[in-house]
Amino acid sequence: MRKILVANRGEIALRVMKSIKNMGILTVAIYSEADREAPHVRFADEAICLGPPPSSQSYLRGDLIISEALKLGVDGIHPGYGFLSENAAFARAVVAAGITFIGPSPESMEVMGSKLAAKDAVKRYDIPMVPGIDEAVEDPEKAKAIAREIGFPILIKASAGGGGKGMRIVEREEELEAQMERAISEAISSFGDGAVFIEKYITGPRHIEIQVLSDQHGNNLYLFERECSIQRRHQKVVEEAPSGVLTPEVRKAMGEDAVKVAKSCDYVGAGTVEFLLDSDMNYYFLEMNTRLQVEHPVTEWITGIDLVEQQIRVARGEKLAFRQEDLQINGHAMELRIYAEDPMNGFLPSIGTLEKFSYPTGPNIRLDSGYTEGMEIPIYYDPMIAKLVTYGHTREAACQEMVKAIQQFQVEGLATTLPFGLFVFQHEAFLQAKFDTGFVGQYFKPEHLVEAKKAEAEVAAALAVWLYEEEQKQLKVVGSVKSNWKGRLGS
Ligand code: ADP
């Protein structure tokens, strides 16, 4: 491969291009009119403007991306995450145009893109599943009978779901019909597919996912786990690797089961198998994501493996150069997603300009960002500004690095999840690794940030008073020294 087009924007486009450049391969960026000045455009060897800001007229224009790629002699396309990354039709069209798609086959994407098809594919492999049904349900009476059998609470889920959308918890039978209607209409409006199914709602689970890597020669490896239990609206905001609670035995069992999931759909490339872990350390398969995950840097840090480089090597037909027994966990990595969202106001998007954007650097800090100071956060795309990743030899050290880094991070012009991050990384339950996906609901109240801000303001005010007093003292000393001098001079 001589030239790779990255069909994405922001931090992931930039991050992917860095690995491509390191491999001595040329890069092509795509951008919308809202992203003319974006760092990913400036970083690339060549860049193509696709059209107006809305994704449907730019980043989702698969046809245009392929025709432009052909004009520029591109021989590989990396989709990043989001946008077209899990679109089987796009992957198929890329391959049909004679370009390598850096990702799994369209068939693997199709199977794993549907939660129901995924459950069906995995069935043969004896992998623990969340109790529930493995087919779509439309009739509320049938749904009630199933729910009674599984036992409340249950979760109604969209088969085509993603990003935590189309999910409804049902505590009692009386609520089922209304919740089911809502789940179906949300599934239709978000995914154009109203198929929903029922799962047991696992109370207080942890979200643990396994990074897998497979080549085209039948080698399938697991690169250990990431814990992603700190979520708002069923969406991740803090991730870490390894998890603070897995035993080596459970880690191995989950890793081997994740490899089976990869095999069940003839997976090729980097993928993620998601599980829920209950308080008794039982785990259940949730779904597989057939792309690079947002949170992949924590895995890169503890394994020392560049996942994008591996994706490219695998896509060009190379055999994986290491075996399972060569892989090891070294230290601990933490990630905070910095969203343009206001944690004081229900994590609603906070749109504005990055009037100030300065962050700490150092050997234990990695910042993946697609923005620079002065840029506006466009309303058209995902509101994630950056990912702050820290490393330590122990979990405690990685947390301490994160606290320091957040305290040194300066963002002005809009609200972000940074103060929420500080709350998490200083919280006793988090520090002791005693938490689950209910962490935010259980512990977090916007008042905490108000109090923290107040405390910060009080410290700042006290410091100002102290500085003033010290200055006054100094002036007095200087004054008296001066008068002494005068006295001496006079004598
Ligand atoms: P999506 O594809 O929308 O991200 P997932 O199936 O990956 O949906 O689930 C996202 C999150 O929703 C999980 O990390 C977990 O917090 C919650 N969740 C999903 N299924 C269940 C379940 N059966 N019981 C409890 N929580 C669940």
Side-chain angles (χ1 to χ4, degrees):
M1 259 183 247
R2 284 191 47 256
K3 201 189 259 190
I4 296 177
L5 179 147
V6 180
N8 217 300
R9 66 181 293 281
E11 67 90 16
I12 195 61
L14 202 55
R15 185 265 164 272
V16 169
M17 282 186 216
K18 282 182 184 162
S19 287
I20 299 174
K21 269 198 186 175
N22 284 343
M23 294 174 81
I25 301 171
L26 293 169
T27 53
V28 178
I30 57 167
Y31 63 98
S32 76
E33 285 160 13
D35 282 339
R36 272 185 201 288
E37 305 300 326
H40 82 273
V41 180
R42 275 183 264 140
F43 186 81
D45 297 302
E46 287 171 274
I48 320 154
C49 181
L50 292 174
S55 310
S56 58
Q57 295 173 54
S58 50
Y59 295 104
L60 290 175
R61 285 286 310 272
D63 54 339
L64 197 56
I65 294 170
I66 294 171
S67 65
E68 291 295 325
L70 286 172
K71 275 188 226 159
L72 292 178
V74 162
D75 42 22
I77 292 186
H78 192 299
Y81 56 69
F83 293 127
L84 295 165
S85 63
E86 288 167 290
N87 184 319
F90 175 66
R92 217 166 251 134
V94 169
V95 176
I99 300 172
T100 303
F101 181 77
I102 303 169
S105 70
E107 291 75 26
S108 309
M109 280 179 176
E110 263 158 2
V111 170
M112 292 300 164
S114 147
K115 292 188 204 286
L116 284 171
K119 279 178 195 271
D120 197 49
V122 165
K123 241 189 228 162
R124 302 174 275 147
Y125 288 84
D126 196 26
I127 288 160
M129 311 272 248
V130 182
I133 46 161
D134 51 9
E135 58 187 56
V137 53
E138 282 165 25
D139 174 14
E141 288 311 314
K142 197 172 162 201
K144 280 182 198 166
I146 294 163
R148 250 177 263 135
E149 202 170 301
I150 299 172
F152 287 92
I154 56 127
L155 190 63
I156 305 179
K157 262 180 156 176
S159 177
K165 286 200 204 98
M167 249 185 263
R168 295 270 161 183
I169 302 166
V170 186
E171 305 275 355
R172 284 181 299 274
E173 188 167 329
E174 305 84 82
E175 300 164 7
L176 197 144
E177 197 162 343
Q179 293 290 43
M180 194 165 151
E181 264 172 39
R182 280 195 206 119
I184 292 175
S185 75
E186 208 168 298
I188 293 173
S189 66
S190 301
F191 314 110
D193 173 2
V196 298
F197 63 101
I198 294 176
E199 251 177 30
K200 170 92 188 144
Y201 181 71
I202 312 274
T203 22
R206 302 176 79 114
H207 175 117
I208 310 265
E209 57 185 35
I210 307 287
Q211 176 70 53
V212 293
L213 190 58
S214 308
D215 64 17
Q216 299 183 34
H217 308 275
N219 300 303
N220 300 278
L221 306 179
Y222 62 91
L223 279 73
F224 315 109
E225 80 279 5
R226 289 183 288 262
E227 161 127 31
C228 319
S229 300
I230 308 292
Q231 309 178 345
R232 39 110 186 73
R233 293 189 291 267
H234 301 299
Q235 281 179 309
K236 304 158 188 170
V237 56
V238 168
E239 298 100 342
E240 64 180 296
S243 157
V245 293
L246 279 203
T247 58
E249 295 74 32
V250 178
R251 173 172 296 127
K252 185 164 186 279
M254 288 179 89
E256 287 172 356
D257 276 350
V259 161
K260 287 187 205 159
V261 173
K263 283 185 182 159
S264 80
C265 66
D266 298 321
Y267 200 77
V268 168
T272 296
V273 181
E274 298 189 336
F275 294 96
L276 290 181
L277 182 80
D278 71 15
S279 47
D280 298 322
M281 295 291 243
N282 300 307
Y283 61 87
Y284 309 95
F285 170 68
L286 256 190
E287 64 166 349
M288 180 172 191
N289 291 323
T290 56
R291 54 171 158 81
L292 193 66
Q293 298 274 96
V294 174
E295 59 273 19
H296 75 277
V298 289
T299 300
E300 295 192 316
W301 214 329
I302 62 152
T303 57
I305 286 172
D306 180 330
L307 284 168
V308 174
E309 180 189 331
Q310 292 306 319
Q311 285 185 301
I312 295 167
R313 291 192 182 283
V314 163
R316 59 186 191 199
E318 288 177 34
K319 269 192 186 151
L320 291 173
F322 41 86
R323 293 158 303 169
Q324 191 63 51
E325 51 273 31
D326 300 327
L327 293 167
Q328 259 184 9
I329 298 178
N330 284 309
H332 209 103
M334 294 283 173
E335 177 179 282
L336 169 66
R337 299 190 189 188
I338 305 175
Y339 282 103
E341 281 180 3
D342 189 357
M344 312 258 273
N345 188 15
F347 292 93
L348 284 178
S350 164
I351 298 306
T353 301
L354 282 171
E355 279 153 23
K356 190 161 183 79
F357 187 64
S358 91
Y359 50 86
T361 53
N364 293 325
I365 299 175
R366 165 172 169 180
L367 189 93
D368 283 16
S369 172
Y371 291 96
T372 50
E373 196 164 283
M375 280 178 75
E376 213 176 292
I377 309 297
I379 52 164
Y380 306 97
Y381 319 114
D382 182 83
M384 196 175 77
I385 306 171
K387 300 182 314 208
L388 176 59
V389 189
T390 58
Y391 178 81
H393 291 299
T394 61
R395 186 170 186 272
E396 195 187 354
C399 285
Q400 282 166 359
E401 291 286 346
M402 182 59 88
V403 168
K404 261 195 293 175
I406 297 173
Q407 285 169 335
Q408 289 166 20
F409 215 115
Q410 288 179 296
V411 179
E412 282 170 25
L414 37 83
T416 71
T417 45
L418 275 166
F420 168 76
L422 195 57
F423 170 83
V424 174
F425 287 99
Q426 289 183 325
H427 197 283
E428 225 18 64
F430 185 80
L431 296 176
Q432 289 180 20
K434 287 187 183 144
F435 59 89
D436 56 50
T437 57
F439 178 92
V440 172
Q442 197 178 345
Y443 299 116
F444 179 68
K445 307 239 165 4
E447 296 89 88
H448 295 312
L449 300 190
V450 179
E451 278 157 25
K453 243 190 186 166
K454 237 199 260 161
E456 206 176 281
E458 275 164 18
V459 170
L463 192 67
V465 169
W466 181 80
L467 283 173
Y468 177 77
E469 285 171 358
E470 286 298 301
E471 208 175 83
Q472 291 302 311
K473 276 188 216 160
Q474 291 292 325
L475 284 175
K476 268 188 212 154
V477 174
V478 173
S480 64
V481 169
K482 265 190 193 160
S483 53
N484 276 347
W485 270 105
K486 257 189 212 161
R488 269 191 229 173
L489 283 174
S491 66

